[in-house]
Amino acid sequence: MQRKAMMIQLKPEKMAEYKELHANAWPAILRQITACNIRNYSIFLREPENLLVGMFEYHGSDYEADMKAMADDPETQRWWALTDPCQGPLASAAPGEWWAPMEEVFHHD
């Protein structure tokens, strides 16, 4: 199992929309997340900076293939068409990077 964390900016004018989408996440999206070997997935919001932090456990053996399967899923593409306009990459994000990965510096079970 690998723990993953990432961060992105939430557009303030899209906060209510983003929260509503995730309060009523589509069953097909939840199934796809599970099918791609993601468990214990949470997204946290930090205000007033409007930063989203996503954290999850990856329980598969080929992360790149699972992420490609998620990106290729038509329902996920429809979901992202609604959620992506609510977000913006961090100023420090690499070119083409949407959610910026974070380094784990401490963990305790």
Side-chain angles (χ1 to χ4, degrees):
M1 183 271 295
Q2 302 170 33
R3 282 181 296 279
K4 303 280 187 177
M6 63 208 83
M7 185 181 290
I8 198 164
Q9 192 77 43
L10 178 62
K11 295 176 183 176
E13 69 276 12
K14 296 285 195 169
M15 186 177 304
E17 179 181 350
Y18 191 84
K19 284 182 173 183
E20 178 64 25
L21 283 165
H22 286 82
N24 297 292
W26 304 345
I29 296 305
L30 301 178
R31 284 191 300 273
Q32 186 63 34
I33 289 169
T34 301
C36 290
N37 297 301
I38 293 173
R39 307 288 183 272
N40 296 320
Y41 187 13
S42 297
I43 299 175
F44 294 89
L45 171 62
R46 168 65 184 182
E47 293 183 81
E49 295 89 348
N50 298 329
L51 296 173
L52 296 172
V53 175
M55 299 171 30
F56 60 87
E57 295 175 353
Y58 176 70
H59 289 263
S61 60
D62 191 341
Y63 183 74
E64 290 75 24
D66 281 332
M67 295 306 99
K68 182 174 180 347
M70 184 176 293
D72 290 345
D73 175 61
E75 282 298 292
T76 300
Q77 291 170 9
R78 283 190 341 111
W79 176 257
W80 287 347
L82 297 174
T83 60
D84 283 4
C86 299
Q87 307 165 341
L90 301 178
S92 62
E97 190 173 65
W98 195 243
W99 282 80
M102 300 169 65
E103 176 187 2
E104 181 178 37
V105 296
F106 178 78
H107 177 80
H108 176 74
D109 280 322

